[in-house]
Amino acid sequence: MMSDSIVPIKEIEEKAERMDTDKMWVIMGPQHPFSHGLWTLKVKLDGEIVTDAEPIVGYLHRGWEKETENRTYPKIIPMADRLCYAASMTYTHLYCMTVEKALDIDIPEKAKYIRIVADEVCRINSHLMWLAAVGTDLGNLTVFLWCMREREFFLDLNVKLCGARMTTNFPRIGGVRNDTTELFDRDIIRTVERFEKALWDIIYLIDDSSIFVSRMKGISYITREQAANVGLTGPAMRGCGVDFDLRRDDPYDNYDKIDFEVPVLQEGDSYARYMIRVEEMFQSCEIIKQAVNKIKALGKNAPYRLKVPSRVPAGTAFTKLEDPRGESMMYLVSDGTDKPYRLKVRSPIFVNVSSAKLQSVGVRIADVPAVLAQIDMCLGETDR
């Protein structure tokens, strides 16, 4: 149900036209802390109320897609890491899946489960970084400190798995770089079980803060239809009542053999989008536990990587993956050489940022940082 405090956009615009008041455009960004990166939001104000908004990206463009055309397929893996350093594992996973589809190969079962573990550790890392940033956006430094503390434990798992913290360079075309160690299997279960308790402390810290909750509940209401029209995906979409997750509805790499729930809320406000990500972290913990047990059942002698040719047959390949921020896609055009002819990336944030106007109109200027924090911006993947 729409909160009584929420005024429809059309009504706000009609009221603004009737009132003889001066409107003012205010530019937020590209260096404003609210933006979580280099992008600009122009907002039109009627007093304190936002009546119009225009997101502007392009300040960080790196020519990533063009650069991949000059590198061999294995050398693109470290580049995929840097599309979004907070979700590096999922992007390298997506890239490797795309090349594997072009090669028409099926990787070993063990590699699939190791990728699942790595992806879910990456999802928790990404969500904790997002929640830490939201804490600072709303003036709660303790949330930032507690989230970053918990995130360190999962970054340590990355180190134990592959020797790197964020830009991991771990997935490989045909599988993964290395098997998990016995200590890794033990340590990841301990870390997950500890985190499930620690996450409740963070939830209580947030929900006991009337300021934190009041700046999210009933603010920036989005319907299912509006989410579909602007192309929202990921947690922001599921917070609007859309029950869809690629891991369950279009599974890849053995996600169909893992039992987990997809959190969905009907409220459609900022608080719902926050709660979706929190519940996703709990679900990621359950996925990790199951995947680790699958890896143990396969044994240490099970293969985790295939040998693949250096050249990819001429043709096209398209894959998609459930990134922490939404639906990521890659489209590969190969010409039979050892380098791609074209590699196109569909970033969920590039699409989700288009909802900035929808989310901002009708809220107060002071609430804009809290509202747009729910997009979980990552400009590295947006301005490719």
Side-chain angles (χ1 to χ4, degrees):
M1 294 292 294
M2 184 178 291
S3 171
D4 294 338
S5 63
I6 300 169
V7 183
I9 295 175
K10 186 176 180 181
E11 184 177 331
I12 292 173
E13 292 175 342
E14 291 176 352
K15 185 178 179 181
E17 289 177 1
R18 293 195 301 267
M19 296 176 64
D20 186 19
T21 58
D22 292 332
K23 311 300 186 298
M24 178 174 61
W25 282 97
V26 174
I27 298 178
M28 304 178 68
Q31 285 86 23
H32 195 286
F34 102 94
S35 62
H36 299 191
L38 294 175
W39 70 290
T40 291
L41 180 70
K42 292 174 60 179
V43 291
K44 189 176 185 181
L45 300 179
D46 182 9
E48 291 186 15
I49 304 299
V50 178
T51 60
D52 197 1
E54 179 185 353
I56 304 171
V57 298
Y59 292 90
L60 195 67
H61 187 64
R62 297 174 292 159
W64 188 93
E65 293 172 353
K66 192 65 180 176
E67 288 182 1
T68 61
E69 299 173 14
N70 299 315
R71 285 166 173 77
T72 59
Y73 287 99
K75 290 184 178 180
I76 297 173
I77 296 173
M79 292 181 61
D81 272 326
R82 288 153 178 81
L83 277 169
C84 178
Y85 65 87
S88 62
M89 199 74 79
T90 55
Y91 267 107
T92 48
H93 183 182
L94 175 63
Y95 168 70
C96 290
M97 280 201 308
T98 307
V99 180
E100 288 157 6
K101 188 170 184 179
L103 290 168
D104 194 23
I105 61 173
D106 188 29
I107 67 173
E109 292 290 296
K110 192 172 192 176
K112 294 179 181 179
Y113 288 118
I114 293 175
R115 284 182 177 182
I116 288 175
V117 171
D119 277 8
E120 297 310 315
V121 168
C122 176
R123 196 177 312 278
I124 294 173
N125 279 330
S126 178
H127 284 354
L128 283 173
M129 177 174 281
W130 159 81
L131 189 53
V134 171
T136 57
D137 286 339
L138 296 179
N140 195 326
L141 185 60
T142 305
V143 172
F144 170 82
L145 294 174
W146 286 15
C147 289
M148 295 306 284
R149 178 195 63 196
E150 297 306 318
R151 183 169 175 267
E152 285 298 311
F153 290 102
F154 287 95
L155 291 178
D156 287 344
L157 290 175
N158 278 349
V159 173
K160 293 173 183 177
L161 181 63
C162 62
R165 284 166 57 85
M166 292 191 293
T167 49
T168 53
N169 191 23
F170 178 65
R172 290 290 185 273
I173 301 168
V176 292
R177 194 186 74 183
N178 55 267
D179 197 356
T180 61
T181 64
E182 186 176 350
L183 291 179
F184 177 82
D185 298 343
R186 179 203 68 184
D187 291 344
I188 192 170
I189 295 299
R190 288 182 178 179
T191 301
V192 163
E193 290 176 348
R194 180 196 173 282
F195 175 66
E196 288 176 315
K197 298 175 183 177
L199 184 53
W200 280 110
D201 293 335
I202 298 174
I203 294 171
Y204 293 144
L205 177 65
I206 293 172
D207 285 358
D208 286 346
S209 170
S210 59
I211 295 176
F212 210 113
V213 174
S214 65
R215 291 186 65 187
M216 291 193 294
K217 272 194 173 181
I219 303 296
S220 185
Y221 181 82
I222 301 177
T223 65
R224 288 164 51 95
E225 293 75 15
Q226 289 172 327
N229 287 339
V230 298
L232 269 179
T233 59
M237 170 194 70
R238 289 187 284 273
C240 302
V242 181
D243 187 5
F244 182 78
D245 190 308
L246 285 172
R247 295 172 295 172
R248 181 198 63 191
D249 300 316
D250 192 3
Y252 50 91
D253 279 0
N254 283 1
Y255 267 106
D256 55 334
K257 298 180 182 178
I258 302 291
D259 183 24
F260 66 99
E261 299 292 330
V262 176
V264 179
L265 290 175
Q266 305 296 328
E267 286 77 4
D269 59 1
S270 289
Y271 188 77
R273 294 188 279 277
Y274 145 75
M275 283 301 301
I276 288 292
R277 288 187 174 88
V278 171
E279 179 58 29
E280 280 192 1
M281 287 190 275
F282 282 117
Q283 292 300 321
S284 291
C285 291
E286 291 301 318
I287 293 171
I288 288 171
K289 291 177 186 177
Q290 294 179 50
V292 168
N293 289 333
K294 299 278 190 182
I295 293 169
K296 288 180 178 179
L298 289 169
K300 286 299 175 185
N301 294 325
Y304 57 85
R305 187 176 173 186
L306 297 176
K307 274 193 171 183
V308 297
S310 60
R311 295 175 179 269
V312 175
T316 62
F318 169 77
T319 55
K320 48 190 176 180
L321 175 146
E322 189 67 38
D323 183 78
R325 289 162 178 76
E327 193 170 317
S328 297
M329 304 177 188
M330 280 194 184
Y331 179 71
L332 171 68
V333 179
S334 54
D335 56 4
T337 66
D338 61 347
K339 300 175 183 177
Y341 176 78
R342 184 77 172 90
L343 182 60
K344 171 65 179 175
V345 178
R346 188 271 196 190
S347 158
I349 293 303
F350 184 77
V351 182
N352 286 5
V353 74
S354 66
S355 69
K357 176 177 180 177
L358 176 65
Q359 294 192 54
S360 301
V361 172
V363 307
R364 296 182 182 277
I365 182 66
D367 289 326
V368 169
V371 167
L372 295 185
Q374 310 308 325
I375 297 178
D376 192 10
M377 288 295 299
C378 179
L379 271 296
E381 69 177 50
T382 306
D383 288 339
R384 297 174 305 283

